[in-house]
Amino acid sequence: MLGEVSPYIGIMLTAILSGYVFYLKSRMNKQSDKYDELISSLNHELQAIGSGSMGVGRKLLSLEKQITELKNSQEEMVRNDPNRVSYTEATRLVELGAEVEDLMNSCGISRPEAELVTALSQRNQAKEVTVN
């Protein structure tokens, strides 16, 4: 009787193990599908981030170009500022001995400006004399 039961036990155990293997395979396939969806979603998000960062990079380059253009324009405006030239010329004339009236006529500046340039130039000349 034991000989007759052994083949049935083997068949039952094989059937149980086969069922368990199919169950595990089914779970693994579900997990694999879940991970595939997650990977696909992450790839999509990564592409979106990459596209966004390229847009930001292009905008940054555009802004850098604008800043450079503005800087060049500002430097040109400073170089061509007629008031700056007037004060520089006025200072040079004071160093050559020009009076307030001369500065007003030659440089086109007001009396208070001419007096200020004269006072500042004389003060700077006095400092240079005391240092030397």
Side-chain angles (χ1 to χ4, degrees):
M1 182 162 177
L2 189 58
E4 293 174 14
V5 175
S6 287
Y8 293 117
I9 292 176
I11 291 172
M12 280 180 39
L13 287 175
T14 302
I16 291 171
L17 286 175
S18 294
Y20 187 63
V21 166
F22 285 121
Y23 168 74
L24 290 177
K25 185 174 180 184
S26 171
R27 283 192 61 198
M28 284 177 49
N29 285 339
K30 286 180 184 177
Q31 286 294 324
S32 177
D33 291 344
K34 187 177 175 182
Y35 290 136
D36 286 343
E37 283 181 36
L38 183 60
I39 288 171
S40 176
S41 173
L42 291 174
N43 279 333
H44 181 71
E45 288 180 28
L46 184 59
Q47 287 175 349
I49 290 170
S51 295
S53 65
M54 287 188 340
V56 168
R58 282 192 292 271
K59 184 66 175 177
L60 180 62
L61 289 174
S62 171
L63 291 173
E64 286 177 343
K65 183 179 177 183
Q66 287 178 359
I67 288 171
T68 300
E69 290 172 0
L70 288 172
K71 182 179 176 185
N72 291 339
S73 294
Q74 181 185 18
E75 288 172 355
E76 185 175 334
M77 288 170 59
V78 167
R79 279 193 303 270
N80 296 330
D81 183 10
N83 291 330
R84 183 173 176 260
V85 173
S86 296
Y87 291 126
T88 303
E89 180 67 16
T91 303
R92 189 180 68 76
L93 290 174
V94 169
E95 290 171 357
L96 295 173
E99 297 293 326
V100 172
E101 293 293 328
D102 298 328
L103 296 179
M104 290 171 49
N105 294 329
S106 300
C107 301
I109 58 178
S110 67
R111 176 173 292 282
E113 291 172 316
E115 290 172 352
L116 180 62
V117 169
T118 302
L120 289 174
S121 294
Q122 289 171 351
R123 186 174 132 210
N124 286 341
Q125 288 174 355
K127 281 185 181 180
E128 289 177 10
V129 170
T130 58
V131 171
N132 292 332

Short mmCIF file of all heavy atoms in Angstrom, two decimals, residues 1-3 6 11-12 23 26 32 37 40-41 47 50 55 60 68 72 75 85 90 94 99-100 115 122 130:
data_model
loop_
_atom_site.label_atom_id
_atom_site.label_comp_id
_atom_site.label_asym_id
_atom_site.label_seq_id
_atom_site.Cartn_x
_atom_site.Cartn_y
_atom_site.Cartn_z
N MET A 1 0.80 -1.18 0.00
CA MET A 1 0.00 0.00 0.00
C MET A 1 0.86 1.27 0.00
O MET A 1 0.48 2.24 -0.65
CB MET A 1 -0.87 -0.08 1.25
CG MET A 1 -1.77 1.02 1.35
SD MET A 1 -2.98 0.49 2.50
CE MET A 1 -3.89 1.80 2.62
N LEU A 2 1.95 1.25 0.66
CA LEU A 2 2.84 2.39 0.69
C LEU A 2 3.42 2.64 -0.70
O LEU A 2 3.62 3.78 -1.09
CB LEU A 2 3.96 2.15 1.72
CG LEU A 2 4.86 3.33 2.03
CD1 LEU A 2 4.06 4.50 2.54
CD2 LEU A 2 5.94 2.93 2.98
N GLY A 3 3.65 1.56 -1.46
CA GLY A 3 4.16 1.68 -2.80
C GLY A 3 3.15 2.34 -3.72
O GLY A 3 3.51 3.01 -4.67
N SER A 6 3.09 6.41 -2.80
CA SER A 6 4.28 7.21 -3.14
C SER A 6 4.16 7.90 -4.48
O SER A 6 4.49 9.08 -4.60
CB SER A 6 5.53 6.34 -3.13
OG SER A 6 5.88 6.02 -1.83
N ILE A 11 3.31 13.03 -7.45
CA ILE A 11 2.54 13.78 -8.43
C ILE A 11 1.91 15.00 -7.76
O ILE A 11 1.90 16.11 -8.32
CB ILE A 11 1.45 12.87 -9.06
CG1 ILE A 11 2.13 11.81 -9.94
CG2 ILE A 11 0.47 13.69 -9.89
CD1 ILE A 11 1.19 10.75 -10.46
N MET A 12 1.38 14.81 -6.54
CA MET A 12 0.78 15.93 -5.81
C MET A 12 1.82 17.00 -5.49
O MET A 12 1.57 18.20 -5.66
CB MET A 12 0.10 15.43 -4.52
CG MET A 12 -1.24 14.84 -4.77
SD MET A 12 -2.11 14.22 -3.32
CE MET A 12 -1.79 15.35 -2.06
N TYR A 23 2.60 30.63 -9.80
CA TYR A 23 2.18 31.75 -8.96
C TYR A 23 3.33 32.77 -8.82
O TYR A 23 3.13 33.97 -8.98
CB TYR A 23 1.73 31.25 -7.58
CG TYR A 23 1.55 32.34 -6.56
CD1 TYR A 23 0.46 33.19 -6.61
CD2 TYR A 23 2.50 32.53 -5.55
CE1 TYR A 23 0.30 34.20 -5.68
CE2 TYR A 23 2.35 33.54 -4.61
CZ TYR A 23 1.25 34.37 -4.68
OH TYR A 23 1.09 35.37 -3.75
N SER A 26 3.91 34.58 -12.06
CA SER A 26 2.86 35.58 -12.27
C SER A 26 3.16 36.84 -11.45
O SER A 26 3.04 37.96 -11.96
CB SER A 26 1.51 34.99 -11.88
OG SER A 26 0.51 35.98 -11.87
N SER A 32 7.48 43.09 -12.68
CA SER A 32 8.25 43.55 -13.83
C SER A 32 7.47 44.60 -14.61
O SER A 32 8.02 45.63 -15.01
CB SER A 32 8.59 42.36 -14.72
OG SER A 32 9.27 42.79 -15.88
N GLU A 37 6.66 50.30 -16.07
CA GLU A 37 5.87 51.53 -16.07
C GLU A 37 6.60 52.65 -15.32
O GLU A 37 6.63 53.79 -15.77
CB GLU A 37 4.50 51.29 -15.41
CG GLU A 37 3.51 50.56 -16.26
CD GLU A 37 2.18 50.38 -15.54
OE1 GLU A 37 1.77 51.30 -14.79
OE2 GLU A 37 1.57 49.33 -15.72
N SER A 40 9.49 53.87 -17.40
CA SER A 40 8.97 54.68 -18.50
C SER A 40 8.57 56.06 -18.01
O SER A 40 8.88 57.07 -18.66
CB SER A 40 7.78 53.97 -19.13
OG SER A 40 7.21 54.76 -20.12
N SER A 41 7.90 56.11 -16.87
CA SER A 41 7.49 57.40 -16.29
C SER A 41 8.71 58.24 -15.95
O SER A 41 8.75 59.46 -16.22
CB SER A 41 6.64 57.15 -15.05
OG SER A 41 6.36 58.36 -14.40
N GLN A 47 13.27 63.38 -19.63
CA GLN A 47 13.27 64.10 -20.91
C GLN A 47 12.68 65.49 -20.75
O GLN A 47 13.18 66.46 -21.32
CB GLN A 47 12.49 63.31 -21.96
CG GLN A 47 13.22 62.07 -22.44
CD GLN A 47 12.37 61.25 -23.41
OE1 GLN A 47 11.17 61.49 -23.56
NE2 GLN A 47 12.99 60.27 -24.04
N GLY A 50 15.24 67.61 -19.06
CA GLY A 50 16.30 67.94 -20.01
C GLY A 50 15.86 69.04 -20.96
O GLY A 50 16.61 69.99 -21.23
N GLY A 55 16.06 74.90 -22.39
CA GLY A 55 15.38 76.19 -22.56
C GLY A 55 15.97 77.25 -21.64
O GLY A 55 16.19 78.39 -22.04
N LEU A 60 19.52 81.86 -20.67
CA LEU A 60 20.70 82.39 -19.98
C LEU A 60 21.69 82.97 -20.99
O LEU A 60 22.24 84.06 -20.77
CB LEU A 60 21.35 81.29 -19.15
CG LEU A 60 22.59 81.67 -18.36
CD1 LEU A 60 22.26 82.75 -17.34
CD2 LEU A 60 23.17 80.45 -17.66
N THR A 68 26.06 91.95 -22.00
CA THR A 68 27.28 92.39 -22.67
C THR A 68 27.00 93.62 -23.54
O THR A 68 27.77 94.59 -23.53
CB THR A 68 27.87 91.25 -23.53
OG1 THR A 68 28.15 90.14 -22.68
CG2 THR A 68 29.13 91.69 -24.24
N ASN A 72 28.53 97.34 -22.96
CA ASN A 72 29.26 98.08 -24.01
C ASN A 72 28.61 99.44 -24.26
O ASN A 72 29.31 100.44 -24.44
CB ASN A 72 29.31 97.26 -25.29
CG ASN A 72 30.19 96.02 -25.16
OD1 ASN A 72 31.05 95.95 -24.30
ND2 ASN A 72 29.96 95.04 -26.00
N GLU A 75 29.53 101.76 -21.38
CA GLU A 75 30.91 102.22 -21.48
C GLU A 75 31.06 103.29 -22.56
O GLU A 75 31.77 104.28 -22.38
CB GLU A 75 31.83 101.04 -21.77
CG GLU A 75 32.01 100.11 -20.58
CD GLU A 75 32.77 98.84 -20.93
OE1 GLU A 75 33.11 98.62 -22.12
OE2 GLU A 75 33.03 98.06 -20.00
N VAL A 85 33.68 115.22 -20.04
CA VAL A 85 34.74 115.89 -20.79
C VAL A 85 34.90 117.32 -20.29
O VAL A 85 36.01 117.81 -20.11
CB VAL A 85 34.42 115.86 -22.31
CG1 VAL A 85 35.42 116.69 -23.09
CG2 VAL A 85 34.42 114.43 -22.81
N ALA A 90 37.99 121.23 -17.60
CA ALA A 90 38.03 122.30 -16.61
C ALA A 90 39.16 122.07 -15.61
O ALA A 90 39.89 123.00 -15.24
CB ALA A 90 36.69 122.40 -15.88
N VAL A 94 42.33 124.56 -14.94
CA VAL A 94 42.67 125.11 -13.61
C VAL A 94 44.14 124.85 -13.32
O VAL A 94 44.85 125.71 -12.79
CB VAL A 94 41.76 124.51 -12.52
CG1 VAL A 94 42.27 124.84 -11.12
CG2 VAL A 94 40.33 124.99 -12.68
N GLU A 99 40.94 130.89 -14.50
CA GLU A 99 40.08 131.40 -13.43
C GLU A 99 38.66 130.86 -13.63
O GLU A 99 38.34 130.24 -14.65
CB GLU A 99 40.06 132.94 -13.49
CG GLU A 99 41.41 133.58 -13.24
CD GLU A 99 41.92 133.38 -11.82
OE1 GLU A 99 41.10 133.34 -10.89
OE2 GLU A 99 43.15 133.26 -11.65
N VAL A 100 37.78 131.14 -12.65
CA VAL A 100 36.39 130.66 -12.67
C VAL A 100 35.68 131.13 -13.94
O VAL A 100 34.98 130.35 -14.60
CB VAL A 100 35.64 131.13 -11.40
CG1 VAL A 100 34.16 130.82 -11.49
CG2 VAL A 100 36.24 130.49 -10.16
N GLU A 115 33.51 126.97 -9.67
CA GLU A 115 34.14 127.21 -8.36
C GLU A 115 34.50 125.89 -7.68
O GLU A 115 35.56 125.77 -7.05
CB GLU A 115 33.20 128.03 -7.48
CG GLU A 115 33.04 129.47 -7.95
CD GLU A 115 31.96 130.24 -7.21
OE1 GLU A 115 31.20 129.62 -6.41
OE2 GLU A 115 31.86 131.47 -7.43
N GLN A 122 42.66 122.89 -6.75
CA GLN A 122 43.64 123.55 -5.89
C GLN A 122 43.93 122.68 -4.66
O GLN A 122 45.07 122.60 -4.21
CB GLN A 122 43.14 124.94 -5.48
CG GLN A 122 43.14 125.91 -6.64
CD GLN A 122 42.46 127.23 -6.31
OE1 GLN A 122 41.82 127.38 -5.28
NE2 GLN A 122 42.61 128.20 -7.22
N THR A 130 52.45 118.90 -0.58
CA THR A 130 52.81 118.46 0.77
C THR A 130 53.36 117.04 0.77
O THR A 130 54.20 116.70 1.60
CB THR A 130 51.61 118.55 1.74
OG1 THR A 130 50.55 117.76 1.23
CG2 THR A 130 51.17 119.98 1.92
#
